Amino acid sequence: MAAAWSPRARGGRSLQLALARNSSLSLGACASVVTSHRAGLGLSRRGAGAPLQEGSGESPGSGQSRPGLLTSLRGGGWGISIKSERSLTEMCIQLGEFVLVEGENADQPFVAKLLKLYEDGSQEKHAVVQWFSRITELPLNKRKLLQREVSPQEIFLDKAPGYDTDINVETIIKNVKVIPLAPKEAVPVRSNRKQIFFVKESWDGKCFKPLSPGSLSELKEAEKNKRVGSPSPLTDCQTSDFICSLKAETDRVTRSTVKTKNVQMEIESRHSASKSSLSKERHSQRVANGINTPGARKKLQLNSPTKSRNKLTGCDVLELLGDDCDALEPLEPSATRRKVTFTEILGSPPKISRTNGESDSPLTIRGDWSKLAETVRIAPYRRSQASSLKAKNLDGKDDDTCLAEEQELKTRSPVVIPRSHRKCAQKTTARIAEQLHFLNISEQDREDDYLPSTVCSDSSSSEEEESMVPCTPKRKMRSSTTLSTPKSLRKPSDITPAKTPRKTPEPRTPKTPRNATPRIPIRNQATEKPANVLEEARLRLHVSTIPGSLPCREEAFQDIYNFVESKLIDGTGGCMYISGVPGTGKTATVHEVIRCLQQAAENDELPSFQFIEINGMKLTDPHQAYVQILQLLTGQKVTATHAAELLAKLFSTPGPKRKTTVLIVDELDLLWTRKQDVMYNLFDWPTQKQAKLIILAIANTMDLPERIMMNRVASRLGLTRMSFQPYTYKQLQQIISSRLNHIKAFEEDAIQLVSRKVAALSGDARRCLDICRRSTEICEFSSQKSASGLVSMAHVMKAIDEMFSSPYINSIRNASLHEQMFLKAIIAEFRRSGLEEATVQQIYHQHVALCRIEGLQIPTVSEIMAICSRLGACRFLLLESNNKYLHVRVRLNISQDDVMYALKQE
Amino acid sequence: MSKRKSKETSSVNGECISQVQRILRERFCHQCPNGKLFGVQLQYKHLLELLKRTTIHGESNSALIIGPRGSGKTTLLNHVLKELMEIKQVRENLLQVHLNGLLQTNDKIALKEITRQLQMENVVGDKVFGSFAENLAFLLDALKKGDRDSSCPVLFILDEFDLFVHHKNQTLLYNLFDISQSAQTPVTVIGLTCRQDILELLEKRVKSRFSHRQIYLMNSFDFKQYLRIFKEQLYLPAEFLYKPFIQKWNKNVQSLSEDRTVQDLLQNHFHCSKDLRSLHMLLMLALSSITVSHPFMTGSDLLEASRLCRMDSKANIVHGLSVLEICLIIAMKHLNDVYEGEPFNFQMVYNEFQKFIQRKAHSMYNFEKPVVMKAFEHLLQLELIKPIEGLPVRAQREYLLMKLLLDNNQIMDALQVYPNCPTDVKQWATSSLSWL
């Protein structure tokens, strides 16, 4: 067996393993479902003959080794067993158990209860589940209804309609423990490992209710069943002939881990991270489906340092290690395999709830130890055990790391870890412990025996960590990995949990604080309320004031609403392109639609949906769109390329319980890139069945799709278009009046004048409102004189003049005499030469002549140059930008007629 | 005794004079808000009201202050801000961000500067880290979170606004204007520029979001007001330490302004440029001639200052040339006359010079060609001549095409004042045919 392993590339490993499983299947009469990216899924009844062969055929070379994926009927019920490719472990899940189901956020898989399993005609395996919701999945505004703090471990029986309870079996990650609590019971705080959830209340989409006695007992029943049936974690390993004392010690390791966990408070985030490690593994698997090379997959992990740092699981580390230390491979899985097989032969219900998280480590470690005992026999047990203990405490909670470390130790123990090293490490840590004594009294109290290492893990000071680092086995592992791995591997190993304890920003290094909240200081004094009618009107006329309804866009509103509503009801996706010149209410209308839809969704008239928005102008680069979308969807912060991959994966895979997403893409034209990949992806996602993505794209030009988009992009955008016409004067008038809302601040004629003027110029509602606002100001200043106190035609006229009149004529009239003369000279020169361009020298001669006529002092050339550059700075003239002095060519930036008109008046 | 006394008064005088110079120089050089504003009362009121509304009512706004260079845009803004800061409510609430298009040459730098000046939470010490995208998202988030009633209003002042227009996509301007038009943190964006066509430079979406408030500064005063400004700028303030001196000084200023020659001088100056900065320049030069022994400004001081201001820089260079170099310039002038401004090369100039030498050999030493070449190159270095662009530079030095950067008038004027100019050369300058 071992021989078969070694020469294999990593990718083939799972197949080998699966083969092994198959052989054991006949023995154990237990079927299993292996989920992995190259394994299919099978469902069959026991005794129904040969197991269903469902290999996906990706690896023809290993055809004979296709895994059989089975679901066995045992004890009168269906069950599935899930095996992960990488964790090398498996678990069986029976009906009535609670499971984690992949969601869009890898950190937060959905919780559900398995109700039914079936297989449809197309050989796809389905499961019917009862959903449970985490508090984070509930709408924000509804969370308040609870009126209490909700522990992250608490979940709610989800009775809200609208979620698909039929899921694909592939999306099940693993089983979890859910403990029902009576309404009075409090949720135990952090008392348990994070694998456990508590359910206390149900949620029906509108309000929370305590669990009905019926469902409570039902849940309790399920829980009880499970408890009775589940084997104690250690009973299933008798066959391994390792030393008893070692076992006991391992056991202690486990316990100590648990203890450390319970004590340490700051590790919660990491808890949740490792909890979902399997789901993350799936995540990366999915991504890797697209990019089959292991290198690419690793690159992905490396691309999301913030995430993977926390969640790099033992199996991941293992795998990474596996790449370089091949010697390790044949040994390790066989040990694991043996164990699993026995579990099943014993006939105990397959309910080992541990997969590859911390609960897994004792077993694996044991396997390792046995390996050690059998094959290596070099490193004394006690020593490596001590180191493992230490390592465990070092990272506090990430048993995964410990696992990895064990691996490392095992493979390298013959060579590495001279005793002195360890001693010095302990010394250092002890010293650090002393230093940090004051800070950690409480912790020390509780776990005296592990004190030094715990303190280490808690210490966030980079300096101290640095001093300690060279000695810790962990660092050793890292460095050795780095040395021996190809380049692509370096980063992931850098991200090993060894780094995780250092979460808080180090005081010395000037780094941007991670937790900086974007905010503007609060003002000291409150704003003043509008004191008079004009101020009130001005407030209402400000563009930022969101009106209760948008007049004059009812039709557009209805169209967009219908479009989105129909897609929401159908649960499909689609694109709509909205165009119109600036200030015609595109964005406002779309936002209004979303508001109404959200309202409707809240009232249960529509399925709820997620609304996100990006704006091309608010991105520094088109590719940043991915980053923003992903961040708005899941809160992850990753690089653009990684985000694109994650989004593609998200939208292309079936997500149970996924809400429809409504995405507004404002200023679409700025997402243009030469390859148009951003646009292509944006419009491609909605076409996928599972995506449930509705895109409302907004831009200025009607023919944008035809003008700048490639055919394939335009085709995906579809033909659902809508264009917003500029407002007519009547509409503008209506907009102003509706905003003013019966405040008598304007004369009717004044409003009409504004509307007509703006409609004639641009039809831009913003302009219209700005003019009105300015008119109120003008009116206020001159109100002492005018009788009515209303904004009149004159005021509006003045405001319009201010905004639209060309400044040129007025500025020319206010220019100095020689500046005017220079302009005259230019025109004279143009007339003389018949060209629209002249050099300063030529104009200078004209200027001198003019001065002689007028009897003025003749300016020097320096003065003429100064005049010329002054006029150029104001852009009356266009000047060549070089230092040719007298030979600079000059052009007029305004029409000659304007200049003549301006100068003639004098 | 009397000697000591006189010494004492003179020392007081010295102290006094340096005080005068300090006060006036500060007034002329800084755009300090202590000075007076002239002819911009309307604009002042408009801007003040605008900023008051932002700070007190939390109303978002945007405005551009447009005016030619030296028309007092920054001074106006400084005055308004100074008055604004005297209101307690404003002083405690207003956040200011000053940007300059010449310093923040792209949006990335500008964003970092904004973040720094707002002292947001991602500022470490005095530096801002993180990528452009992160910073933008952070800033926008921050501004989005605020609202009209509770957040501090932010005043963005963009000096040299026209340079921000050339940033990629006008991202910064779009976002600033967009915030000013949406229900977020109240902001007011004030741009200062001298370009009259600034609105045409704004992208249509940016333009639509801009409120179109334009405050024009035009220097719209006539000569009478200019004269008054002249007086106001020279008057000593009442709080000046040496009281008896104030009266004398101010009286002198008054009489200066009534002097005919001074008025003529100022009139000429006014005709040339109306901006106050050039007036300040003139007064600055005149002020520097004030000493203890010459404590009051006179008409001749101003005259001298005016002469310095109006001086033709290129013609000044000609004054310092050697006779040979002058001869070369005259040769070039003749070439320009003959060929109507077409470019010439050294060989042509040399030939022209040779012609002159041959006629008037007695008055002019016949220089070797390399020496003439050296003189020619000196002229090139002084940028009195300039090689024309777009031609291969590899041509032989003698045949590089050049253009003369002096006008005939300048050459003749310079020759008039050139010391010890040989008469033959002068004659040659007036006519290329003078040897006939």
Side-chain angles (χ1 to χ4, degrees):
Chain A
M1 207 66 201
W5 279 100
S6 43
R8 286 269 159 182
R10 221 184 71 253
R13 222 186 304 154
S14 74
L15 296 177
Q16 299 277 343
L17 190 60
L19 178 63
R21 291 265 344 67
N22 274 353
S23 59
S24 75
L25 264 180
S26 52
L27 227 166
C30 169
S32 70
V33 179
V34 179
T35 37
S36 79
H37 73 268
R38 61 187 62 232
L41 260 176
L43 252 165
S44 81
R45 273 178 195 276
R46 181 154 64 125
L52 246 162
Q53 294 286 332
E54 267 267 311
S56 51
E58 279 167 29
S59 44
S62 54
Q64 101 284 30
S65 67
R66 280 196 210 159
L69 310 161
L70 307 163
T71 306
S72 68
L73 182 71
R74 211 185 306 124
W78 283 89
I80 50 169
S81 84
I82 293 177
K83 187 158 125 205
S84 140
E85 177 193 43
R86 285 187 218 121
S87 64
L88 312 167
T89 59
E90 91 178 63
M91 69 213 139
C92 301
I93 302 168
Q94 277 194 319
L95 290 190
E97 276 196 72
F98 301 95
V99 290
L100 290 181
V101 182
E102 255 180 277
E104 47 240 57
N105 189 339
D107 278 329
Q108 301 251 294
F110 298 128
V111 183
K113 184 182 172 191
L114 204 56
L115 295 180
K116 215 169 115 190
L117 289 167
Y118 68 92
E119 191 175 355
D120 70 3
S122 60
Q123 302 284 298
E124 278 190 10
K125 285 90 212 159
H126 292 264
V128 178
V129 293
Q130 164 69 53
W131 290 115
F132 289 82
S133 294
R134 291 166 194 263
I135 188 68
T136 48
E137 292 165 35
L138 301 178
L140 266 172
N141 49 353
K142 299 287 185 184
R143 291 182 201 172
K144 287 179 286 218
L145 292 175
L146 268 176
Q147 291 173 338
R148 62 184 169 91
E149 278 292 301
V150 180
S151 136
Q153 290 179 0
E154 182 167 355
I155 54 174
F156 300 90
L157 182 62
D158 197 333
K159 288 182 175 164
Y163 287 138
D164 193 2
T165 56
D166 189 338
I167 61 164
N168 197 323
V169 172
E170 281 180 59
T171 58
I172 295 177
I173 301 167
K174 60 175 175 179
N175 59 353
V176 287
K177 202 167 171 187
V178 175
I179 297 175
L181 297 173
K184 297 277 156 49
E185 274 179 272
V187 176
V189 183
R190 278 193 281 271
S191 62
N192 274 296
R193 298 182 315 209
K194 71 313 168 197
Q195 293 284 9
I196 296 173
F197 292 96
F198 301 95
V199 57
K200 215 166 136 179
E201 291 182 73
S202 70
W203 161 252
D204 65 359
K206 284 197 188 102
C207 56
F208 296 95
K209 282 181 194 142
L211 288 180
S212 66
S215 52
L216 186 65
S217 58
E218 202 178 296
L219 290 168
K220 278 213 163 114
E221 194 64 26
E223 181 56 30
K224 211 177 289 166
N225 281 344
K226 200 156 70 174
R227 240 177 261 165
V228 169
S230 69
S232 95
L234 290 174
T235 50
D236 48 344
C237 357
Q238 303 89 340
T239 41
S240 305
D241 52 343
F242 38 74
I243 307 128
C244 281
S245 66
L246 177 64
K247 183 166 135 197
E249 258 153 8
T250 333
D251 202 3
R252 218 178 88 208
V253 172
T254 330
R255 264 186 280 118
S256 76
T257 330
V258 174
K259 196 171 164 198
T260 322
K261 261 195 189 118
N262 295 342
V263 177
Q264 292 189 345
M265 320 261 288
E266 40 94 31
I267 49 179
E268 233 175 56
S269 58
R270 254 158 285 158
H271 264 210
S272 62
S274 50
K275 161 174 55 178
S276 55
S277 56
L278 188 58
S279 98
K280 288 207 178 121
E281 183 191 330
R282 289 261 190 99
H283 231 255
S284 50
Q285 265 179 24
R286 279 273 157 75
V287 177
N289 280 349
I291 317 109
N292 256 325
T293 65
R297 187 178 53 71
K298 252 171 260 150
K299 199 163 138 249
L300 288 181
Q301 288 170 342
L302 136 187
N303 273 342
S304 60
T306 42
K307 282 203 71 188
S308 55
R309 179 191 298 181
N310 291 342
K311 72 183 178 203
L312 205 65
T313 59
C315 49
D316 281 337
V317 177
L318 233 178
E319 204 171 48
L320 298 175
L321 286 171
D323 268 354
D324 16 299
C325 25
D326 259 303
L328 171 64
E329 285 185 18
L331 312 172
E332 214 257 319
S334 65
T336 323
R337 172 174 17 108
R338 210 185 311 150
K339 173 211 59 179
V340 177
T341 316
F342 275 110
T343 319
E344 286 173 7
I345 287 171
L346 285 174
S348 56
K351 270 180 205 151
I352 317 136
S353 67
R354 55 190 104 80
T355 52
N356 62 341
E358 70 235 38
S359 50
D360 197 17
S361 51
L363 298 175
T364 325
I365 290 167
R366 205 180 310 125
D368 300 342
W369 292 113
S370 72
K371 222 64 250 168
L372 262 179
E374 286 162 13
T375 61
V376 187
R377 288 208 189 275
I378 298 172
Y381 291 140
R382 283 198 55 201
R383 194 208 285 174
S384 23
Q385 187 245 320
S387 80
S388 84
L389 209 71
K390 194 161 141 246
K392 203 148 281 174
N393 290 320
L394 262 178
D395 48 344
K397 56 267 114 197
D398 262 272
D399 298 33
D400 310 331
T401 333
C402 303
L403 172 61
E405 248 151 60
E406 295 290 343
Q407 295 291 330
E408 188 58 27
L409 279 175
K410 184 177 62 142
T411 37
R412 281 162 212 260
S413 49
V415 205
V416 297
I417 328 171
R419 210 181 182 105
S420 61
H421 254 226
R422 196 97 38 79
K423 261 200 178 148
C424 112
Q426 261 156 0
K427 245 189 257 167
T428 328
T429 49
R431 216 178 315 135
I432 296 163
E434 253 166 62
Q435 283 171 358
L436 290 180
H437 183 76
F438 307 105
L439 301 172
N440 291 301
I441 290 170
S442 59
E443 266 151 290
Q444 285 162 3
D445 284 346
R446 267 181 276 177
E447 32 173 351
D448 264 354
D449 25 354
Y450 304 113
L451 170 94
S453 28
T454 320
V455 172
C456 285
S457 72
D458 280 349
S459 78
S460 57
S461 149
S462 63
E463 220 184 353
E464 277 147 359
E465 186 128 333
E466 228 69 79
S467 69
M468 171 199 83
V469 152
C471 319
T472 60
K474 183 176 301 161
R475 207 32 102 88
K476 186 154 283 150
M477 173 199 85
R478 192 200 300 183
S479 59
S480 60
T481 320
T482 313
L483 281 177
S484 56
T485 46
K487 210 171 181 188
S488 68
L489 263 177
R490 199 167 293 153
K491 274 237 182 106
S493 61
D494 259 57
I495 303 161
T496 46
K499 262 200 166 173
T500 43
R502 229 193 283 169
K503 222 183 173 177
T504 45
E506 293 119 36
R508 295 288 167 86
T509 45
K511 268 191 100 184
T512 311
R514 283 270 161 76
N515 46 2
T517 46
R519 67 185 178 83
I520 297 287
I522 304 293
R523 55 186 297 148
N524 290 332
Q525 280 93 11
T527 49
E528 276 179 19
K529 293 281 165 275
N532 57 35
V533 177
L534 285 175
E535 281 181 14
E536 177 72 32
R538 200 178 303 141
L539 183 63
R540 291 188 186 199
L541 286 170
H542 199 284
V543 184
S544 69
T545 315
I546 300 157
S549 71
L550 286 172
C552 315
R553 286 292 180 228
E554 292 84 4
E555 228 171 87
F557 175 86
Q558 205 54 49
D559 285 352
I560 301 172
Y561 189 91
N562 290 345
F563 174 81
V564 181
E565 188 191 33
S566 68
K567 299 283 180 197
L568 276 178
I569 290 170
D570 298 349
T572 54
C575 298
M576 185 174 204
Y577 177 71
I578 299 165
S579 64
V581 293
T584 48
K586 303 177 294 296
T587 313
T589 307
V590 171
H591 278 140
E592 184 74 15
V593 168
I594 298 294
R595 256 200 307 281
C596 289
L597 286 168
Q598 274 169 338
Q599 194 64 45
E602 235 167 71
N603 300 338
D604 273 334
E605 289 152 24
L606 279 175
S608 67
F609 62 94
Q610 193 172 9
F611 161 59
I612 55 177
E613 185 187 13
I614 58 168
N615 186 325
M617 272 289 204
K618 296 184 178 172
L619 304 171
T620 52
D621 174 272
H623 294 279
Q624 287 292 323
Y626 298 129
V627 180
Q628 292 227 330
I629 294 173
L630 189 73
Q631 196 179 356
L632 291 166
L633 270 178
T634 66
Q636 292 167 276
K637 252 188 169 173
V638 295
T639 59
T641 36
H642 188 36
E645 277 150 5
L646 288 178
L647 283 173
K649 184 233 141 201
L650 185 68
F651 288 124
S652 62
T653 50
K657 226 174 148 186
R658 178 189 286 161
K659 288 180 193 171
T660 304
T661 307
V662 180
L663 170 63
I664 297 183
V665 184
D666 216 339
E667 315 294 1
L668 177 74
D669 49 331
L670 287 172
L671 295 184
W672 187 89
T673 50
R674 211 163 48 77
K675 281 167 75 187
Q676 305 197 356
D677 46 346
V678 178
M679 281 186 181
Y680 178 87
N681 280 333
L682 272 182
F683 298 132
D684 193 40
W685 293 330
T687 60
Q688 283 161 14
K689 203 178 95 204
Q690 307 89 344
K692 290 193 178 180
L693 178 66
I694 303 168
I695 291 187
L696 301 172
I698 304 176
N700 287 134
T701 37
M702 204 171 14
D703 59 344
L704 186 81
E706 286 72 33
R707 215 154 38 82
I708 68 166
M709 289 188 200
M710 292 173 184
N711 287 336
R712 53 185 173 158
V713 180
S715 142
R716 276 167 177 79
L717 174 59
L719 290 168
T720 321
R721 307 230 177 131
M722 157 159 295
S723 84
F724 280 64
Q725 297 304 320
Y727 289 111
T728 63
Y729 85 91
K730 277 195 175 141
Q731 289 173 323
L732 288 172
Q733 218 172 325
Q734 204 183 332
I735 289 170
I736 299 172
S737 345
S738 81
R739 282 209 177 221
L740 283 175
N741 197 14
H742 307 303
I743 288 190
K744 192 71 187 144
F746 279 80
E747 286 172 11
E748 275 308 308
D749 291 348
I751 294 180
Q752 199 175 79
L753 177 65
V754 178
S755 325
R756 280 187 187 270
K757 195 84 189 177
V758 174
L761 280 165
S762 61
D764 186 335
R766 288 195 188 105
R767 199 71 323 101
C768 193
L769 295 172
D770 280 335
I771 294 175
C772 290
R773 220 149 51 86
R774 177 71 189 133
S775 321
T776 60
E777 286 168 25
I778 294 172
C779 176
E780 202 172 344
F781 286 139
S782 60
S783 63
Q784 290 89 345
K785 297 156 216 163
S786 83
S788 65
L790 294 185
V791 180
S792 67
M793 295 268 273
H795 300 133
V796 171
M797 218 42 215
K798 199 172 166 211
I800 291 173
D801 272 352
E802 256 181 37
M803 289 195 182
F804 293 115
S805 71
S806 159
Y808 288 119
I809 294 184
N810 214 349
S811 335
I812 291 175
R813 284 188 193 155
N814 282 308
S816 72
L817 191 61
H818 278 297
E819 281 163 358
Q820 293 178 353
M821 191 83 79
F822 192 79
L823 289 172
K824 274 186 203 164
I826 289 174
I827 291 180
E829 178 59 29
F830 285 177
R831 294 232 170 108
R832 187 192 67 81
S833 68
L835 298 171
E836 292 282 292
E837 193 176 81
T839 65
V840 175
Q841 194 170 14
Q842 291 165 323
I843 299 163
Y844 170 66
H845 290 150
Q846 293 286 345
H847 193 115
V848 169
L850 280 172
C851 284
R852 289 213 172 101
I853 297 169
E854 304 271 334
L856 289 168
Q857 191 186 20
I858 295 167
T860 59
V861 178
S862 282
E863 276 174 314
I864 289 288
M865 291 308 294
I867 288 169
C868 181
S869 59
R870 270 207 298 275
L871 293 174
C874 296
R875 286 300 189 280
F876 292 126
L877 308 180
L878 296 176
L879 301 179
E880 251 182 322
S881 60
N882 56 22
N883 50 351
K884 285 206 272 182
Y885 196 58
L886 277 176
H887 303 290
V888 169
R889 281 197 290 274
V890 178
R891 247 187 252 184
L892 271 181
N893 194 28
I894 22 175
S895 77
Q896 292 189 25
D897 295 338
D898 278 358
V899 179
M900 291 311 291
Y901 173 75
L903 295 176
K904 211 176 269 173
Q905 298 286 311
E906 315 234 331
Chain B
M1 192 67 194
S2 66
K3 208 176 181 185
R4 187 177 289 171
K5 200 173 180 184
S6 73
K7 208 176 184 184
E8 207 169 7
T9 51
S10 79
S11 83
V12 167
N13 250 344
E15 186 64 20
C16 174
I17 294 297
S18 67
Q19 279 293 318
V20 169
Q21 291 200 329
R22 195 182 57 77
I23 289 174
L24 293 184
R25 276 192 188 132
E26 233 165 51
R27 194 182 285 171
F28 298 151
C29 291
H30 297 184
Q31 295 144 334
C32 69
N34 299 319
K36 288 203 173 80
L37 281 173
F38 304 99
V40 289
Q41 275 67 34
L42 271 181
Q43 289 90 331
Y44 181 79
K45 202 171 170 196
H46 185 175
L47 190 61
L48 185 65
E49 287 299 317
L50 193 78
L51 295 185
K52 259 191 194 162
R53 275 203 307 280
T54 302
T55 46
I56 295 173
H57 296 279
E59 184 185 303
S60 294
N61 268 315
S62 50
L64 281 178
I65 305 176
I66 305 172
R69 297 220 179 271
S71 57
K73 303 180 287 293
T74 312
T75 317
L76 172 72
L77 188 67
N78 286 345
H79 271 87
V80 170
L81 283 179
K82 187 178 166 241
E83 178 165 347
L84 214 56
M85 284 306 168
E86 278 159 15
I87 308 170
K88 179 166 176 284
Q89 201 182 352
V90 175
R91 191 170 53 241
E92 289 175 6
N93 290 324
L94 186 67
L95 298 172
Q96 292 184 35
V97 177
H98 293 261
L99 301 177
N100 190 318
L102 293 166
L103 297 176
Q104 281 79 41
T105 49
N106 62 41
D107 283 348
K108 191 177 173 181
I109 301 172
L111 269 177
K112 287 197 171 177
E113 185 61 21
I114 293 173
T115 318
R116 198 185 65 76
Q117 291 191 17
L118 284 177
Q119 280 298 315
M120 307 255 255
E121 285 186 23
N122 58 349
V123 178
V124 182
D126 214 18
K127 292 208 168 73
V128 183
F129 298 93
S131 70
F132 183 23
E134 275 169 24
N135 288 337
L136 180 65
F138 191 87
L139 184 71
L140 291 179
D141 265 6
L143 291 168
K144 206 173 192 173
K145 275 190 189 154
D147 61 15
R148 199 175 68 84
D149 294 318
S150 64
S151 326
C152 273
V154 186
L155 175 61
F156 288 95
I157 294 165
L158 309 181
D159 213 343
E160 307 293 345
F161 182 83
D162 45 314
L163 297 176
F164 286 96
V165 162
H166 301 299
H167 294 182
K168 191 189 161 213
N169 288 344
Q170 302 188 355
T171 307
L172 182 75
L173 295 183
Y174 177 92
N175 285 309
L176 289 182
F177 286 145
D178 194 51
I179 294 161
S180 82
Q181 298 251 325
S182 53
Q184 303 181 4
T185 305
V187 300
T188 287
V189 185
I190 306 279
L192 289 88
T193 180
C194 62
R195 285 186 68 160
Q196 307 278 343
D197 61 345
I198 186 70
L199 283 187
E200 292 154 39
L201 299 177
L202 294 176
E203 206 250 4
K204 61 180 185 296
R205 287 168 280 208
V206 182
K207 193 177 173 183
S208 166
R209 281 165 175 78
F210 169 57
S211 74
H212 280 61
R213 275 162 205 274
Q214 299 149 71
I215 300 173
Y216 285 102
L217 298 177
M218 299 280 194
N219 293 327
S220 51
F221 36 73
D222 57 18
F223 183 64
K224 254 186 200 158
Q225 284 161 311
Y226 190 75
L227 212 57
R228 221 194 66 229
I229 294 167
F230 165 76
K231 283 190 288 184
E232 295 276 354
Q233 291 288 315
L234 280 179
Y235 279 154
L236 283 174
E239 59 269 23
F240 188 64
L241 284 176
Y242 306 91
K243 303 291 177 193
F245 190 76
I246 302 178
Q247 224 174 8
K248 281 190 216 159
W249 175 271
N250 287 355
K251 213 173 182 180
N252 177 55
V253 170
Q254 179 64 33
S255 65
L256 261 184
S257 71
E258 283 157 12
D259 185 53
R260 189 68 225 161
T261 52
V262 173
Q263 279 192 5
D264 278 350
L265 181 150
L266 285 176
Q267 178 99 49
N268 279 333
H269 208 80
F270 178 73
H271 282 163
C272 220
S273 134
K274 280 166 96 177
D275 67 43
L276 294 184
R277 199 174 280 166
S278 70
L279 177 68
H280 286 159
M281 200 55 155
L282 180 80
L283 296 179
M284 189 77 164
L285 288 171
L287 183 70
S288 55
S289 63
I290 303 276
T291 57
V292 180
S293 54
H294 179 71
F296 297 107
M297 204 180 274
T298 58
S300 58
D301 290 341
L302 281 169
L303 218 57
E304 175 62 18
S306 164
R307 197 187 60 77
L308 284 171
C309 277
R310 293 170 44 93
M311 194 116 72
D312 188 332
S313 50
K314 288 272 177 190
N316 267 358
I317 297 176
V318 177
H319 297 165
L321 294 180
S322 66
V323 175
L324 172 61
E325 284 157 351
I326 288 275
C327 288
L328 289 183
I329 285 189
I330 292 166
M332 290 170 199
K333 171 182 174 282
H334 291 318
L335 284 172
N336 263 347
D337 290 342
V338 173
Y339 298 105
E340 288 175 329
E342 289 298 307
F344 49 84
N345 61 29
F346 170 72
Q347 198 57 51
M348 290 161 78
V349 176
Y350 184 71
N351 292 343
E352 193 73 19
F353 177 60
Q354 281 308 120
K355 269 192 248 168
F356 168 65
I357 292 292
Q358 280 156 18
R359 309 296 165 203
K360 307 277 182 187
H362 58 277
S363 66
M364 199 71 191
Y365 177 76
N366 192 3
F367 294 100
E368 305 272 331
K369 193 173 177 185
V371 178
V372 181
M373 184 71 193
K374 194 74 194 164
F376 188 79
E377 279 179 349
H378 189 221
L379 293 180
L380 188 63
Q381 279 164 3
L382 290 171
E383 288 206 339
L384 292 174
I385 53 175
K386 205 171 178 345
I388 60 170
E389 287 155 8
L391 289 175
V393 196
R394 267 187 294 168
Q396 256 181 302
R397 281 188 302 174
E398 290 89 341
Y399 305 105
L400 269 181
L401 286 176
M402 299 282 175
K403 270 199 155 186
L404 182 63
L405 292 189
L406 287 169
D407 192 61
N408 287 353
N409 294 350
Q410 284 174 293
I411 297 169
M412 298 314 290
D413 290 349
L415 272 179
Q416 294 305 316
V417 291
Y418 188 79
N420 309 324
C421 186
T423 331
D424 286 339
V425 175
K426 269 190 182 165
Q427 279 177 357
W428 181 44
T430 45
S431 164
S432 57
L433 306 173
S434 62
W435 49 272
L436 285 176

